[in-house]
Amino acid sequence: QVQLQGSGPGLVKASQTLSLTCTVSGASISSGDSSWNWIRQSPGKGLEWIGYIYSTGSTHYNPSLKSRVTISRDTSKNLFSLKLTSVTAADTAVYYCAREAEDVTYYYYYMDVWDKGTTVTVSS
Amino acid sequence: EIVMTQSPATLSVPPGERATLSCRSSHSVFSHLAWYQQKPGQAPRLLIYGASTRATGIPARFSGSGSGTEFTLTISSLQSEDFAVYYCQQFNNWPRTFGQGTKVEIK
Protein backbone atom coordinates (compact mmCIF):
# COMPACT_ATOMS: atom_id res chain seq x y z
CA GLN A 1 0.00 0.00 0.00
CA VAL A 2 1.02 3.64 -0.35
CA GLN A 3 3.08 5.00 2.52
CA LEU A 4 4.60 8.40 3.15
CA GLN A 5 7.49 9.14 5.45
CA GLY A 6 8.37 12.68 6.34
CA SER A 7 11.75 13.74 7.64
CA GLY A 8 13.73 16.83 8.49
CA PRO A 9 15.10 18.95 11.32
CA GLY A 10 12.85 19.45 14.31
CA LEU A 11 14.41 22.79 15.20
CA VAL A 12 14.95 25.75 12.90
CA LYS A 13 16.25 29.19 13.83
CA ALA A 14 14.13 32.22 13.13
CA SER A 15 14.79 33.89 9.75
CA GLN A 16 16.28 30.67 8.34
CA THR A 17 14.80 28.13 5.93
CA LEU A 18 12.72 25.13 6.97
CA SER A 19 13.39 22.08 4.80
CA LEU A 20 11.41 18.85 4.93
CA THR A 21 11.30 15.76 2.74
CA CYS A 22 8.55 13.21 2.15
CA THR A 23 9.56 9.82 0.79
CA VAL A 24 6.81 7.91 -0.98
CA SER A 25 6.59 4.12 -1.28
CA GLY A 26 3.96 2.08 -3.05
CA ALA A 27 3.21 4.71 -5.70
CA SER A 28 5.11 6.84 -8.18
CA ILE A 29 4.95 10.60 -7.64
CA SER A 30 5.54 11.16 -11.35
CA SER A 31 2.58 9.20 -12.69
CA GLY A 32 -1.14 8.99 -12.15
CA ASP A 33 -3.63 11.63 -11.09
CA SER A 34 -2.51 12.19 -7.51
CA SER A 35 -1.08 15.36 -6.08
CA TRP A 36 1.46 15.37 -3.29
CA ASN A 37 0.73 17.85 -0.57
CA TRP A 38 2.14 19.59 2.46
CA ILE A 39 -0.19 20.55 5.32
CA ARG A 40 0.67 21.94 8.71
CA GLN A 41 -1.12 22.03 12.03
CA SER A 42 -0.57 24.48 14.83
CA PRO A 43 -2.66 25.22 17.92
CA GLY A 44 -3.27 28.74 16.73
CA LYS A 45 -4.26 28.14 13.11
CA GLY A 46 -5.49 24.55 13.02
CA LEU A 47 -4.93 22.61 9.81
CA GLU A 48 -3.49 24.71 6.99
CA TRP A 49 -2.85 23.50 3.46
CA ILE A 50 0.55 24.70 2.24
CA GLY A 51 0.68 23.48 -1.34
CA TYR A 52 1.12 20.55 -3.71
CA ILE A 53 3.20 19.16 -6.52
CA TYR A 54 1.35 17.24 -9.18
CA SER A 55 2.54 14.20 -11.08
CA THR A 56 3.49 16.45 -14.02
CA GLY A 57 5.70 18.54 -11.75
CA SER A 58 3.37 21.53 -11.63
CA THR A 59 2.91 23.20 -8.28
CA HIS A 60 0.25 25.22 -6.49
CA TYR A 61 0.64 27.11 -3.24
CA ASN A 62 -1.53 28.69 -0.59
CA PRO A 63 -1.53 32.43 -1.35
CA SER A 64 -0.90 33.15 2.32
CA LEU A 65 2.50 31.40 2.09
CA LYS A 66 3.26 31.63 -1.61
CA SER A 67 6.09 34.15 -1.34
CA ARG A 68 8.03 31.87 1.03
CA VAL A 69 7.22 28.34 -0.18
CA THR A 70 8.80 26.05 -2.71
CA ILE A 71 7.73 22.45 -3.25
CA SER A 72 10.00 20.35 -5.44
CA ARG A 73 10.58 16.68 -6.17
CA ASP A 74 13.27 14.11 -6.92
CA THR A 75 11.68 11.50 -9.14
CA SER A 76 14.74 9.26 -9.02
CA LYS A 77 14.22 8.91 -5.26
CA ASN A 78 10.42 9.17 -5.39
CA LEU A 79 10.28 11.98 -2.88
CA PHE A 80 9.04 15.53 -2.67
CA SER A 81 10.26 18.37 -0.55
CA LEU A 82 9.15 21.55 1.16
CA LYS A 83 11.19 24.69 1.66
CA LEU A 84 9.80 27.57 3.71
CA THR A 85 12.00 30.62 3.94
CA SER A 86 12.30 33.39 6.53
CA VAL A 87 10.58 31.39 9.24
CA THR A 88 9.20 32.92 12.42
CA ALA A 89 7.64 31.50 15.58
CA ALA A 90 4.31 31.46 13.72
CA ASP A 91 5.70 28.68 11.53
CA THR A 92 6.09 26.36 14.52
CA ALA A 93 3.78 23.45 13.75
CA VAL A 94 3.45 19.77 12.95
CA TYR A 95 4.08 19.40 9.22
CA TYR A 96 2.35 16.60 7.34
CA CYS A 97 2.80 15.31 3.84
CA ALA A 98 -0.26 13.73 2.26
CA ARG A 99 -1.52 12.32 -1.00
CA GLU A 100 -4.59 13.87 -2.60
CA ALA A 101 -6.31 11.29 -4.76
CA GLU A 102 -9.39 11.31 -6.95
CA ASP A 103 -12.50 9.19 -7.21
CA VAL A 104 -12.53 9.04 -11.01
CA THR A 105 -16.22 8.11 -11.12
CA TYR A 106 -17.51 11.29 -9.52
CA TYR A 107 -14.40 13.50 -9.61
CA TYR A 108 -14.31 13.73 -5.85
CA TYR A 109 -11.00 14.41 -4.20
CA TYR A 110 -9.68 13.45 -0.80
CA MET A 111 -6.45 13.13 1.18
CA ASP A 112 -6.23 9.45 1.92
CA VAL A 113 -2.62 8.83 2.88
CA TRP A 114 -0.72 10.91 5.42
CA ASP A 115 2.61 10.57 7.09
CA LYS A 116 2.88 10.66 10.90
CA GLY A 117 3.90 14.31 10.92
CA THR A 118 7.11 16.12 11.70
CA THR A 119 7.16 18.57 14.58
CA VAL A 120 9.09 21.71 13.71
CA THR A 121 9.89 24.37 16.28
CA VAL A 122 11.23 27.76 15.27
CA SER A 123 13.62 29.13 17.87
CA SER A 124 14.81 32.65 18.33
CA GLU B 1 -10.72 31.48 0.14
CA ILE B 2 -13.60 29.32 1.34
CA VAL B 3 -14.03 29.45 5.11
CA MET B 4 -15.17 26.25 6.80
CA THR B 5 -16.98 26.56 10.13
CA GLN B 6 -17.66 23.57 12.36
CA SER B 7 -20.04 23.33 15.28
CA PRO B 8 -20.09 22.69 18.08
CA ALA B 9 -16.48 23.08 19.16
CA THR B 10 -16.96 20.30 21.71
CA LEU B 11 -19.62 17.59 21.84
CA SER B 12 -20.11 15.49 24.98
CA VAL B 13 -21.85 12.21 24.25
CA PRO B 14 -22.31 8.99 26.25
CA PRO B 15 -20.96 5.81 24.67
CA GLY B 16 -23.58 4.12 22.52
CA GLU B 17 -25.40 7.36 21.73
CA ARG B 18 -25.56 9.25 18.44
CA ALA B 19 -23.28 12.17 17.64
CA THR B 20 -24.15 14.78 15.03
CA LEU B 21 -21.44 17.17 13.86
CA SER B 22 -21.97 20.13 11.55
CA CYS B 23 -19.80 21.83 8.97
CA ARG B 24 -20.70 24.96 7.02
CA SER B 25 -18.85 26.53 4.10
CA SER B 26 -18.82 30.23 3.23
CA HIS B 27 -19.54 29.42 -0.41
CA SER B 28 -21.01 26.37 -2.06
CA VAL B 29 -18.60 23.46 -2.36
CA PHE B 30 -21.28 21.25 -3.97
CA SER B 31 -20.42 17.77 -2.65
CA HIS B 32 -16.66 18.29 -2.61
CA LEU B 33 -16.26 17.75 1.11
CA ALA B 34 -14.36 15.26 3.23
CA TRP B 35 -14.38 14.38 6.92
CA TYR B 36 -11.38 13.26 8.95
CA GLN B 37 -10.84 11.85 12.42
CA GLN B 38 -7.75 12.77 14.40
CA LYS B 39 -6.56 11.26 17.67
CA PRO B 40 -3.80 12.78 19.82
CA GLY B 41 -0.36 12.37 18.31
CA GLN B 42 -1.73 10.97 15.05
CA ALA B 43 -2.32 12.27 11.56
CA PRO B 44 -5.87 12.87 10.34
CA ARG B 45 -7.61 9.75 9.06
CA LEU B 46 -9.99 9.98 6.11
CA LEU B 47 -13.55 8.94 6.97
CA ILE B 48 -15.84 10.37 4.30
CA TYR B 49 -15.33 11.99 0.89
CA GLY B 50 -17.74 13.35 -1.68
CA ALA B 51 -19.83 14.44 1.35
CA SER B 52 -21.30 10.96 1.82
CA THR B 53 -18.98 8.20 0.57
CA ARG B 54 -17.24 6.20 3.27
CA ALA B 55 -13.53 5.66 2.72
CA THR B 56 -12.14 2.15 2.57
CA GLY B 57 -12.41 0.33 5.89
CA ILE B 58 -14.56 2.92 7.64
CA PRO B 59 -17.37 1.38 9.74
CA ALA B 60 -20.97 1.88 8.68
CA ARG B 61 -21.76 3.80 11.89
CA PHE B 62 -20.08 6.80 10.25
CA SER B 63 -22.24 8.59 7.69
CA GLY B 64 -22.06 11.92 5.94
CA SER B 65 -24.73 14.05 4.33
CA GLY B 66 -25.33 17.47 2.85
CA SER B 67 -24.37 19.51 -0.18
CA GLY B 68 -23.81 23.13 -1.06
CA THR B 69 -22.89 24.88 2.17
CA GLU B 70 -24.32 22.62 4.92
CA PHE B 71 -22.88 19.23 5.86
CA THR B 72 -23.32 16.73 8.65
CA LEU B 73 -21.25 13.86 9.99
CA THR B 74 -23.23 11.37 12.05
CA ILE B 75 -21.80 8.66 14.24
CA SER B 76 -24.75 6.42 14.94
CA SER B 77 -23.54 4.69 18.12
CA LEU B 78 -20.35 6.03 19.65
CA GLN B 79 -17.69 3.49 20.45
CA SER B 80 -14.77 4.13 22.78
CA GLU B 81 -12.40 4.46 19.82
CA ASP B 82 -14.53 7.22 18.27
CA PHE B 83 -13.70 9.84 20.88
CA ALA B 84 -11.44 12.17 18.91
CA VAL B 85 -11.40 15.44 16.98
CA TYR B 86 -13.21 15.58 13.64
CA TYR B 87 -12.41 17.95 10.78
CA CYS B 88 -14.14 18.80 7.55
CA GLN B 89 -12.23 19.88 4.43
CA GLN B 90 -13.44 21.32 1.16
CA PHE B 91 -12.07 20.26 -2.22
CA ASN B 92 -14.03 22.59 -4.49
CA ASN B 93 -11.44 25.36 -4.61
CA TRP B 94 -7.85 26.18 -3.86
CA PRO B 95 -6.56 26.80 -1.33
CA ARG B 96 -7.94 23.64 0.25
CA THR B 97 -9.36 24.68 3.60
CA PHE B 98 -10.30 22.88 6.80
CA GLY B 99 -12.75 23.54 9.57
CA GLN B 100 -11.39 24.23 13.03
CA GLY B 101 -12.57 20.86 14.32
CA THR B 102 -15.15 19.37 16.68
CA LYS B 103 -13.90 17.45 19.69
CA VAL B 104 -16.11 14.51 20.60
CA GLU B 105 -15.63 13.65 24.25
CA ILE B 106 -17.07 11.10 26.64
CA LYS B 107 -19.99 12.30 28.71
Side-chain angles (χ1 to χ4, degrees), chain A residues 16-70:
Chain A
Q16 296 192 345
T17 297
L18 179 161
S19 296
L20 298 174
T21 295
C22 185
T23 301
V24 179
S25 59
S28 170
I29 65 169
S30 56
S31 63
D33 294 328
S34 298
S35 64
W36 304 93
N37 294 256
W38 288 99
I39 300 106
R40 69 182 183 180
Q41 185 172 31
S42 61
K45 294 200 73 176
L47 287 160
E48 181 178 29
W49 176 76
I50 299 170
Y52 73 70
I53 187 162
Y54 192 57
S55 55
T56 58
S58 64
T59 56
H60 192 81
Y61 303 131
N62 192 319
S64 68
L65 297 167
K66 187 175 182 179
S67 63
R68 299 194 292 132
V69 171
T70 302

Side-chain angles (χ1 to χ4, degrees), chain B residues 15-87:
Chain B
E17 296 293 301
R18 174 186 298 255
T20 303
L21 289 66
S22 295
C23 174
R24 176 177 295 180
S25 58
S26 60
H27 298 81
S28 175
V29 298
F30 303 94
S31 293
H32 296 286
L33 184 109
W35 289 94
Y36 301 88
Q37 176 194 69
Q38 187 177 35
K39 296 180 179 179
Q42 297 183 16
R45 171 196 180 199
L46 177 67
L47 298 175
I48 301 283
Y49 67 90
S52 62
T53 302
R54 275 189 303 277
T56 302
I58 301 303
R61 64 180 181 272
F62 291 92
S63 63
S65 63
S67 66
T69 62
E70 302 279 346
F71 301 89
T72 301
L73 174 69
T74 301
I75 311 170
S76 60
S77 176
L78 275 163
Q79 306 299 302
S80 58
E81 62 266 30
D82 300 335
F83 292 97
V85 180
Y86 294 82
Y87 295 94

Side-chain angles (χ1 to χ4, degrees), chain A residues 41 60 96 100 103 111 115, chain B residues 36 38 43 49 87 94 96:
Chain A
Q41 185 172 31
H60 192 81
Y96 295 101
E100 181 176 308
D103 178 325
M111 292 185 182
D115 78 320
Chain B
Y36 301 88
Q38 187 177 35
Y49 67 90
Y87 295 94
W94 282 278
R96 303 308 199 204

